[in-house]
Amino acid sequence: MNYVDRIVALRQDRDLKQEEVARVLNRSRSAYANLEIKRYRFTVEDIIKLCEFYNVCPEYILGFTDEPIPLNKL
């Protein structure tokens, strides 16, 4: 699973809409949708915000571990 698939899975597992996550990243829903379909790439800043939003370590999102370790446990 690549990092984009993991980001999509995190959103879906929490029953969030693309629009809700787009707001976290200060983007429109359509701009966020383009990230999820891999038309554009998430920035490092996007990944940091998503780690904070989902409370998971960057290692989980980036695929270095399959355990979603909370940020406060590092």
Side-chain angles (χ1 to χ4, degrees), residues 22 26-37 39-40 42:
N26 296 317
R27 301 192 186 219
S28 67
R29 191 217 49 87
S30 62
Y32 181 78
N34 281 320
L35 292 167
E36 282 196 358
I37 62 171
R39 182 171 283 160
Y40 301 110
F42 287 90

Side-chain angles (χ1 to χ4, degrees), residues 4-55:
V4 176
D5 296 333
R6 189 142 298 172
I7 289 169
V8 172
L10 282 166
R11 179 181 61 77
Q12 292 172 340
D13 289 346
R14 288 164 172 77
D15 294 323
L16 297 169
K17 296 179 181 177
Q18 286 181 337
E19 183 177 328
E20 295 170 295
V21 181
R23 272 188 250 129
V24 172
L25 300 179
N26 296 317
R27 301 192 186 219
S28 67
R29 191 217 49 87
S30 62
Y32 181 78
N34 281 320
L35 292 167
E36 282 196 358
I37 62 171
K38 302 173 188 171
R39 182 171 283 160
Y40 301 110
R41 293 181 184 208
F42 287 90
T43 66
V44 171
E45 291 80 10
D46 292 336
I47 293 172
I48 291 168
K49 286 179 185 178
L50 292 172
C51 288
E52 293 170 344
F53 178 70
Y54 291 123
N55 190 31

